[in-house]
Amino acid sequence: MASVTSATVAIPSFTGLKSTISKPSAVVRIPTKAATSPKLTVKSSLKDFGVAAVAAAASFALVGNAMAIDVLLGSGDGALAFVPNEFTIAKGEKIVFKNNAGFPHNVVFDEDEIPSGVDASKISMDEQDLLNAAGETYEVALTEPGTYSFYCAPHQGAGMVGKVTVN
């Protein structure tokens, strides 16, 4: 016959849960022909549950913040362009347009090239509003699936245009 010495096993985790062997005897004898394993129990308190709930909520908040795409207004070499100028996002995902180079810039959605029923004025900057300094941003979340064309009003003639597809 084999013998196993009893011990408490601590399982490290963010929840603080501990697993212990339920039978606290010093020696457990296990017959060689029919091996049985000791029963494990999980001990937790309401406080441990609260810690787990807070950790889960924090991870969801981080995931929510990660659901954004940054689009530069003006390329690193000074070209008048959106970088990237074509991209795809999920419905409701935030787009952060960030002034980079060659400003002033703005973001205007073309009312003739957006899904029907979407009001271009509600998702666009006013054509007179401009981002005048590096790092200034304009944020928008598009909720209707489809293809949206946008442009920078001061530089549209220079080819500063873009397209986003919302799934």
Side-chain angles (χ1 to χ4, degrees):
M1 268 201 227
S3 63
V4 176
T5 304
S6 169
T8 299
V9 178
I11 301 173
S13 70
F14 71 94
T15 62
L17 298 177
K18 293 184 179 180
S19 176
T20 59
I21 296 176
S22 63
K23 191 170 184 177
S25 64
V27 175
V28 176
R29 302 216 181 262
I30 301 174
T32 54
K33 49 182 161 165
T36 60
S37 61
K39 293 181 181 180
L40 298 177
T41 61
V42 177
K43 293 182 182 178
S44 178
S45 68
L46 190 54
K47 178 183 170 188
D48 293 335
F49 178 76
V51 169
V54 169
S59 65
F60 284 123
L62 290 174
V63 169
N65 289 340
M67 292 179 54
I69 183 167
D70 290 340
V71 178
L72 295 179
L73 303 173
S75 69
D77 63 1
L80 298 174
F82 291 97
V83 180
N85 66 342
E86 287 193 31
F87 53 95
T88 300
I89 61 169
K91 183 170 90 168
E93 186 174 354
K94 183 169 47 172
I95 306 168
V96 179
F97 292 94
K98 185 176 181 182
N99 219 6
N100 185 46
F103 36 84
H105 297 296
N106 65 7
V107 179
V108 179
F109 286 87
D110 188 333
E111 64 186 17
D112 296 326
E113 295 186 36
I114 59 175
S116 64
V118 175
D119 185 352
S121 67
K122 292 187 179 188
I123 59 174
S124 299
M125 294 177 69
D126 185 281
E127 288 201 30
Q128 305 307 313
D129 290 341
L130 299 170
L131 301 174
N132 288 305
E136 289 184 339
T137 61
Y138 174 70
E139 298 178 6
V140 65
L142 304 175
T143 57
E144 292 297 319
T147 301
Y148 297 69
S149 292
F150 56 90
Y151 58 89
C152 170
H155 303 117
Q156 182 180 14
M160 192 168 176
V161 297
K163 188 176 288 191
V164 57
T165 301
V166 178
N167 291 330

